[in-house]
Amino acid sequence: MMSKINHYHTSNNTPDNTKAVSIETLNARLADLIDLALVTKQAHWNLKGVNFIGVHEMLDGFRGGLDGFVDTAAERAVQLGGVALGTVQNVQKHTNCAPYPTDIYTVIDHVKALAERYAVVANKIREAIKVTAEAGDEDTSDIFTEISRGLDKNLWFLEAHLQAEAGPR
C-alpha cells in the first residue's frame, strides 16, 4: 500500500472516495510501469546473439510506449488531485516485478526475463481496470484498458520468441 498523500483541490467532480481509490491504484501501477520501462532499456542495451537487431529495435518501441503509459498514469493521478509517485525509491519499494537479472546476455534470456515481468504488470493492470471501474472512475479504468492493450501486445511479441523455441503445448 502507498503512503498516505495529501490530495489537492480540483474542480473534477469525481467523488473524493473514488479519487482516493484511483490515485492509490494509479500510483501502484506507476511503480510497476516505471520498473518495466527501466528493465526494458536494461535488456535493450545488453542483449547479444541471434535476432539481436530485431529485438533491440523492438524493445526501443516498447520503451516509447511505456513512457507514454507512465506519463498518462502519472498525469491522471495529478488530475484527480493526487501526487504522482514516480521516484526510483518509490518504484523500488512498490514494484511487483522481481529484480531484473544483470548477469544475463543472450537474446532469449532477456526475452524470457522480460516476458515474466510484462505478464506480471499486464495482469496487475487488468486488476486495476476492475478496481477503478468498481470505484466509479470510468475514465481511469479506460486509461488502464488502453495500457492493458499495449502491454498485452508487447507480451505477445515477447512470447512469440519463446513459443517458437518451445513449440505448441
Side-chain angles (χ1 to χ4, degrees), residues 6-16 18-20 22-24 26-27 30 68-85 137-144 146:
N6 291 331
H7 295 160
Y8 295 91
H9 172 74
T10 174
S11 297
N12 180 312
N13 69 353
T14 302
D16 287 344
T18 299
K19 286 179 184 177
S22 291
I23 292 165
E24 182 176 339
L26 284 158
N27 275 313
L30 185 61
F69 298 153
V70 164
D71 203 42
T72 299
E75 288 176 354
R76 179 64 179 164
V78 175
Q79 290 165 17
L80 294 172
V83 173
L85 303 175
D137 187 351
E138 292 83 9
D139 292 337
T140 301
S141 181
D142 185 57
I143 287 169
F144 283 129
E146 174 190 355

Side-chain angles (χ1 to χ4, degrees), residues 4-169:
K4 186 72 174 157
I5 298 292
N6 291 331
H7 295 160
Y8 295 91
H9 172 74
T10 174
S11 297
N12 180 312
N13 69 353
T14 302
D16 287 344
N17 59 332
T18 299
K19 286 179 184 177
V21 168
S22 291
I23 292 165
E24 182 176 339
T25 305
L26 284 158
N27 275 313
R29 299 298 63 86
L30 185 61
D32 293 337
L33 289 166
I34 291 171
D35 192 7
L36 198 56
L38 291 171
V39 301
T40 297
K41 207 56 158 173
Q42 177 70 23
H44 165 86
W45 292 323
N46 291 293
L47 53 88
K48 295 171 181 22
V50 178
N51 298 322
F52 163 80
I53 195 64
V55 175
H56 180 79
E57 290 176 352
M58 178 182 74
L59 295 181
D60 255 348
F62 286 9
R63 175 59 189 260
L66 285 165
D67 288 346
F69 298 153
V70 164
D71 203 42
T72 299
E75 288 176 354
R76 179 64 179 164
V78 175
Q79 290 165 17
L80 294 172
V83 173
L85 303 175
T87 65
V88 172
Q89 296 80 10
N90 191 73
V91 171
Q92 180 182 19
K93 187 174 180 182
H94 295 288
T95 186
N96 284 287
C97 296
Y100 196 83
T102 56
D103 61 345
I104 59 175
Y105 66 92
T106 66
V107 168
I108 200 68
D109 285 344
H110 279 290
V111 168
K112 284 177 187 174
L114 288 172
E116 290 168 3
R117 285 151 186 84
Y118 272 79
V120 165
V121 177
N123 291 334
K124 288 292 186 179
I125 292 292
R126 268 187 289 288
E127 290 174 17
I129 293 167
K130 292 178 188 171
V131 167
T132 54
E134 289 171 2
D137 187 351
E138 292 83 9
D139 292 337
T140 301
S141 181
D142 185 57
I143 287 169
F144 283 129
T145 300
E146 174 190 355
I147 294 169
S148 175
R149 282 193 293 265
L151 292 179
D152 282 350
K153 185 173 183 179
N154 293 349
L155 180 58
W156 168 48
F157 285 4
L158 292 166
E159 287 181 336
H161 288 273
L162 304 174
Q163 292 162 346
E165 288 209 348
R169 285 194 221 184

